[in-house]
Amino acid sequence: MKLSCALVTNVDSPDLVAEAERLGYHRAWLYDSPAITSDVWIALALAAERTSTIGLGPGVLVPSLRHPMANAAAIANLTALAPGRVVVAVGSGFTGRYTLGKRPLRWAVVEEYVTTLRALLRGETVEWEGAAIRMMHADGFVPDRPVEVEVFIGADGPKGTAVAERVGDGVFAAGVPNPAAAGRPYALLQFGTVLEDGEDLRSQALLDRAGHGLAVVFHAMYERLGADAMLELPGGPEWVAAINAIPPAERHLVTHEGHLVRLTAVDQEAVRIAADLLPQFTFTGTPEQLRDRVAEYAAGGVTELVYQPAGPDVAGELARMMDAVGGVTER
């Protein structure tokens, strides 16, 4: 199993990717959620110019955000800047959709989009929205077709995994392991931090580094299961009360604010109450505990552990995680 990193795309991401390469990370995945992140393709292009070995890719693209030709051209351009290093993940959308007031896409839409995207990269003529389209770039604009890249499907359940089997090269799961993904390239995204001896789970310093991983559990449960499902969770009633104080038409603008970066006023108290759950719900623990988790993931078929740090010292978090588990992953 290899150790990669993920970053919430911002203006510092290219430099952080360069640092991740120096530390020995396998790949750097950058989020694509335009309402809350910087532009993923700009950041990846800048990262390509500052690195030479680390893998690069968006994780995950959401079909409704761009025409397939726009993403095909961007993928091809990135492969020219970083030949042999590009990978792409495509999913149905979480914050990329919810922050725009929309539900995730149907998996049939994702499958059609990926099929079209891959055909374009092969240089084929395909039909999209009732018209024939093809990459018509002249020499010197993007590499000659076919443009070869791995395509992962952002799948946490059986429907998405079935799409990966039909049109993808692997699975990119987030937070919760996807046992059905075993047997193929399988990246698992995790959030958390390395605990210091005796560190208080409710300390502000710890919550700044790892609270994002617990807050996203609240966000996901609320969006997918509704407010009632959260009431038995420690901190759940407090979180629901805070979000219900927001006018319904604007709740999607608040629910994911600070997503995987920082705790908002809505998140702070609820996450502090639920802090005992951090080792259970996030990749948070002592080095020994995290190494045990890595072994469990490897036994479950994970081929790539993707760690997303947060807090005031992201570069330091990357270094501490590499020190903690890099020795038990293939570098």
Side-chain angles (χ1 to χ4, degrees):
M1 184 170 67
K2 297 183 181 294
L3 180 61
S4 295
C5 66
L7 299 170
V8 182
T9 314
N10 64 24
V11 295
D12 295 326
S13 294
D15 288 337
L16 288 169
V17 173
E19 177 63 8
E21 179 178 84
R22 188 190 70 78
L23 291 168
Y25 281 86
H26 172 58
R27 283 189 180 122
W29 297 88
L30 271 60
Y31 297 163
D32 182 26
S33 193
I36 53 177
T37 68
S38 301
D39 183 84
V40 70
W41 291 117
I42 291 175
L44 286 167
L46 290 171
E49 293 182 339
R50 300 177 195 187
T51 58
S52 60
T53 60
I54 193 169
L56 300 169
V60 302
L61 299 174
V62 182
S64 60
L65 296 178
R66 297 181 193 82
H67 193 284
M69 185 63 77
N71 272 332
I75 292 165
N77 195 12
L78 187 61
T79 64
L81 298 174
R85 295 197 280 144
V86 178
V87 65
V88 174
V90 183
S92 61
F94 183 53
T95 59
R97 294 278 297 174
Y98 282 125
T99 53
L100 303 178
K102 304 295 182 182
R103 304 286 295 177
L105 296 165
R106 293 180 297 110
W107 281 109
V109 174
V110 177
E111 183 168 356
E112 180 185 17
Y113 188 92
V114 172
T115 300
T116 299
L117 182 66
R118 303 197 80 164
L120 290 172
L121 291 170
R122 290 193 297 267
E124 298 173 10
T125 300
V126 294
E127 183 175 309
W128 188 260
E129 296 179 338
I133 58 174
R134 182 177 64 244
M135 296 186 75
M136 300 183 292
H137 303 78
D139 291 346
F141 284 80
V142 298
D144 291 339
R145 274 65 71 199
V147 175
E148 302 288 350
V149 296
E150 282 187 291
V151 178
F152 284 52
I153 304 299
D156 298 318
K159 292 182 180 179
T161 305
V163 172
E165 292 176 352
R166 291 191 293 269
V167 301
D169 299 307
V171 168
F172 187 98
V176 180
N178 177 359
R184 59 179 59 79
Y186 168 19
L188 177 62
L189 175 64
Q190 291 285 277
F191 325 105
T193 191
V194 181
L195 290 177
E196 299 176 7
D197 289 341
E199 189 166 12
D200 181 1
L201 292 176
R202 287 181 169 77
S203 72
Q204 192 59 51
L206 188 283
L207 295 180
D208 287 344
R209 291 168 16 233
H212 65 298
L214 196 50
V216 75
V217 174
F218 288 110
H219 303 169
M221 287 186 66
Y222 175 72
E223 295 285 21
R224 294 169 178 169
L225 302 176
D228 288 347
M230 301 179 62
L231 298 181
E232 299 301 317
L233 190 71
E238 290 79 5
W239 193 92
V240 169
I243 202 68
N244 281 347
I246 308 298
E250 298 178 8
R251 282 178 194 160
H252 69 281
L253 301 176
V254 176
T255 302
H256 302 282
E257 184 182 1
H259 176 75
L260 293 175
V261 176
R262 60 179 176 83
L263 298 179
T264 66
V266 171
D267 296 326
Q268 184 73 43
E269 183 58 23
V271 170
R272 191 180 301 278
I273 292 170
D276 287 341
L277 298 178
L278 277 166
Q280 176 184 348
F281 281 86
T282 75
F283 194 64
T284 296
T286 65
E288 183 178 3
Q289 290 169 335
L290 295 179
R291 288 192 287 270
D292 288 343
R293 291 275 291 278
V294 168
E296 291 174 7
Y297 292 151
V302 176
T303 59
E304 181 180 353
L305 177 62
V306 184
Y307 168 60
Q308 189 244 293
D313 182 17
V314 170
E317 290 292 286
L318 288 171
R320 284 185 284 274
M321 188 59 70
M322 179 58 75
D323 287 343
V325 304
V328 292
T329 57
E330 181 184 351
R331 300 173 71 174

